[in-house]
Amino acid sequence: MKTEPIHAGVGGVPEPWRASVQSQLGDGETLQAWMETDLDTQLRFARGLLVLTQRRLLACTAPGAPWQAWPLAPDMTLRHYDHAGVGSLELQDSHARLAHWRYTMAQQGAALRLIGRHDQLREGRGNADEAAARPAQTGPAGASEPHAPPSTWALLRLWRFALPYRRQLLIGFTLTLLSTAASLVPPYLTMPLMDKVLIPFQNGIPIDYELVRLYLGGLLLSSLAAWLLTWGRTYILAWVSERIGADLRTSTYQHLQRLSLQYFGGKRTGDLIARIGSESDRICLFLSLHLLDFATDMLMIVMTSAVLLSIDPWLALATLIPLPFIGWLIQLVRGRLRYGFEKVDRVWAEITNVLADTIPGVRVVKAFAQERREVLRFREANNRNLAVNDRVNAVWSLFSPTVTLLTEAGLLVVWAFGIWMVSRQQITVGVLTAFLAYISRFYTRLDSMSRIVSFTQQAAAGAKRIFDILDHVSSVPEPRQPVHLQQVQGRIALRQVGFRYGNRMVLQGIDLDIAPGEMIGLVGHSGSGKSTLANLICRFYDASQGSISLDGVDIRSLPIAEYRRNIGVVLQEPFLFFGTIADNIAYGKPDASRAEIVAAARAAHAHEFILRLPQGYDSLVGERGQALSGGERQRISIARALLIDPRILILDEATSSVDTATENEIQKALDNLVRGRTTISIAHRLSTLRQADRLVVLDRGRIVEVGRHDQLLARNGAYASLYQAQARGEPPESSNEDWDEEDEDAEIA
């Protein structure tokens, strides 16, 4: 589907809509962006179209239906939300919601580009020609965000991170004020040196050395005071900025940990790493260096202007002639730099994404001999980064020398006007000399302050990308009035549970009671909802309908961390962190003693192979546990679950990817693990579930059978069909083509 902005005509719009869209465009009205909506308000598939011009937003719910239109206004906002794979687009003004549309995540990229272009037009940024020339931003659906240029006001939101250090900031500002004042003293002392010492000496009057010592002593003292005060304020403000940056990184990472798995399903690892790493570093550099320079420059300009006006108002006014032109130039360039630096950030995130994909997956890259392909992918991303930086540098390279030219022109004006005033004996040579000294500092600071524009826009782009994370609300929220369970028994009750992923109903009408200590086996075709049900019990997602309770309390009323501490999970592909075997076993209980770790490993039948390793429990497992075999990693994960002693256990295909001998070892470990715990086990090999107290058979998101292995075989129903198919070696067929649990599990992982 084509989604890039179109300058003229409707050639990119799908065929059924072209004539209708063309009939809606007025004289001089051009198409800026468009997107198709593929859901109605009841989440049924339906085709609609949103069209944005430089004047209006138009919408049509179906081909042939009447059009609605809303003129663009400063108070109009277009916002998007997404939940469980369904996107919502809302048009609002300052009083009410004007319209609402829904779409699947396949249309997410088009929606984000529509929002970005709408915001540019609403705020008066850009034009149709610029939109047509700018290439569309492409990427995976759901992996991007609105690309409207960030506002510099995003930097003001950093104030909440600066509040704890307001006392140090006040001291730093006071020192900045004093150091700036001290640096203004030397030019002021040059006036009497010129008028009372040097010029009289040229006229035959002897030099008054006492006066010279007085003025030179003043110059020395002011220089030492400026040095000491500058050192103090630089150290204090750098100390504060480093802590603001550290707090910002910690808060962002902490907030990421609170977000649900749904958020991570639409994000790239490299992009998130870039935001927390390079963006926060850029903000920290701005706060510690560039913002300090900006404050010093502003104080220097204001205080220098005051001194100049006190010495001679007319000459001071001549000094300020270039100021309006520089201000206009800064305003002209700021928007372009701001937009450019945000594009630089996004392209750099693409480079980081390539690295985050290929370095952990280097084994797959080499196994399929795709080194050249990955190098090409990196080169393309790097070339895009180069092109975007070239466009930013083209703007900046013109802006900086232009400011310098204006300041040089201003200096020439002061020279000419000052010489004229000296010739008319309206000022002395000493006054002109002091003026030139002050003006040199004034224009230097003005030039420096104009250069801050670049760093400010970079920091604003980074702040916006970080606050995009901090502003995101988890779809699995903490309860407002939490309930605390003193002693967890492990009784689980599901009442009319339903779950919708996007426009697909994955589970519906699930009623199930699981007694404390009971082992339940979830059985069904691939895509029947087994893993989804386990994820809902773990509260990785919240049910769209119905409720799940633990010991009679709705799990949405329990604090998330407190609830999950009672759940142990053993996945088909166990994830081990880089570190020692002991660290991985004790991941859920970091303060566990070595005796507890060894006991858990013994129960998991892992103790023997661990002792055969060079450093035993202190052996490094490598990145993602690559130094161990699949069966060894699985037994480490079982030991990890055993150590926290959970009341509820989730086993998701724990033995499906190992050989028979290893499966027997793992099964012995699992027998130790499930003893006395409420267990929910998912397995394609039905023979591994014979010891389950009950088997729950799912088909198309519904429970179709419940009972023991022999009972279900006697019924000759869905379970019997599955069992007989496996006995004959026939591959099971998916019962739901619209939902692939493997895709869901990959997203969750």
Side-chain angles (χ1 to χ4, degrees), residues 594-613:
R594 181 54 64 96
E596 291 176 307
I597 293 172
V598 171
R602 285 182 182 276
H605 288 255
H607 181 68
E608 289 75 13
F609 85 78
I610 293 175
L611 292 183
R612 290 195 296 268
L613 297 175

Side-chain angles (χ1 to χ4, degrees), residues 659-681:
D659 57 77
T660 304
T662 305
E663 180 183 356
N664 292 333
E665 287 293 318
I666 293 175
Q667 194 61 52
K668 293 176 185 177
L670 291 176
D671 291 341
N672 292 331
L673 182 60
V674 303
R675 190 175 297 122
R677 294 180 173 86
T678 303
T679 304
I680 299 168
S681 179

Side-chain angles (χ1 to χ4, degrees), residues 128-443:
D129 295 331
E130 195 177 11
R134 186 164 51 245
Q137 301 296 325
T138 59
S144 55
E145 292 172 352
H147 294 161
S151 171
T152 310
W153 291 101
L155 291 173
L156 296 180
R157 298 184 62 185
L158 296 171
W159 173 246
R160 69 182 176 99
F161 293 96
L163 269 178
Y165 310 103
R166 53 187 178 274
R167 182 179 301 175
Q168 291 88 344
L169 285 171
L170 180 60
I171 295 173
F173 178 77
T174 303
L175 292 177
T176 301
L177 187 64
L178 294 175
S179 65
T180 304
S183 65
L184 290 174
V185 172
Y188 201 84
L189 295 179
T190 59
M191 285 191 298
L193 272 174
M194 292 288 294
D195 293 337
K196 296 181 181 181
V197 177
L198 296 178
I199 293 178
F201 175 73
Q202 287 184 333
N203 294 328
I205 299 175
I207 291 178
D208 186 347
Y209 289 101
E210 286 295 326
L211 197 61
V212 171
R213 280 193 290 270
L214 176 65
Y215 290 138
L216 291 182
L219 288 171
L220 178 62
L221 287 176
S222 64
S223 299
L224 289 174
W227 169 80
L228 184 63
L229 292 167
T230 301
W231 170 79
R233 58 101 173 176
T234 302
Y235 176 79
I236 289 176
L237 294 179
W239 183 91
V240 170
S241 67
E242 288 295 337
R243 276 146 187 82
I244 292 175
D247 292 345
L248 182 63
R249 282 190 292 270
T250 301
S251 297
T252 307
Y253 183 75
Q254 187 177 29
H255 186 74
L256 269 178
Q257 294 299 319
R258 295 195 189 107
L259 295 177
S260 68
L261 291 178
Q262 179 186 344
Y263 176 81
F264 293 94
K267 294 292 180 289
R268 299 290 297 274
T269 301
D271 179 57
L272 296 178
I273 292 173
R275 295 194 198 197
I276 297 177
S278 60
E279 301 296 1
S280 60
D281 282 345
R282 182 181 296 171
I283 292 171
C284 185
L285 181 64
F286 171 76
L287 294 175
S288 63
L289 184 62
H290 304 306
L291 184 60
L292 181 61
D293 290 342
F294 179 76
T296 305
D297 294 341
M298 283 294 296
L299 285 173
M300 180 67 77
I301 288 172
V302 171
M303 296 173 73
T304 302
S305 299
V307 172
L308 292 177
L309 288 170
S310 68
I311 295 175
D312 190 279
W314 290 107
L315 196 56
L317 290 176
T319 303
L320 301 177
I321 286 177
L323 201 58
F325 297 99
I326 294 175
W328 170 79
L329 189 62
I330 290 174
Q331 182 63 28
L332 179 68
V333 169
R334 186 181 62 177
R336 296 178 182 272
L337 289 177
R338 189 170 55 193
Y339 182 82
F341 283 127
E342 193 190 1
K343 290 183 70 175
V344 169
D345 290 341
R346 292 198 305 271
V347 174
W348 182 253
E350 289 182 24
I351 294 176
T352 313
N353 284 331
V354 175
L355 296 174
D357 286 343
T358 54
I359 293 177
V362 65
R363 185 183 299 250
V364 177
V365 174
K366 292 185 174 298
F368 288 90
Q370 293 300 307
E371 293 92 342
R372 179 177 296 180
R373 175 187 174 187
E374 294 302 336
V375 169
L376 179 62
R377 192 157 71 103
F378 184 87
R379 182 181 290 116
E380 289 175 351
N382 203 23
N383 287 339
R384 285 194 294 271
N385 178 64
L386 187 64
V388 171
N389 276 285
D390 283 345
R391 287 196 290 271
V392 172
N393 292 334
V395 174
W396 181 246
S397 62
L398 178 63
F399 169 73
S400 183
T402 303
V403 171
T404 302
L405 176 64
L406 289 173
T407 57
E408 294 291 341
L411 189 61
L412 290 176
V413 170
V414 173
W415 266 108
F417 193 59
I419 291 172
W420 180 78
M421 294 184 73
V422 169
S423 68
R424 297 176 63 91
Q425 297 185 350
Q426 294 182 3
I427 60 172
T428 64
V429 174
V431 170
L432 179 58
T433 304
F435 246 93
L436 292 173
Y438 277 121
I439 288 168
S440 176
R441 299 189 179 203
F442 179 86
Y443 283 144

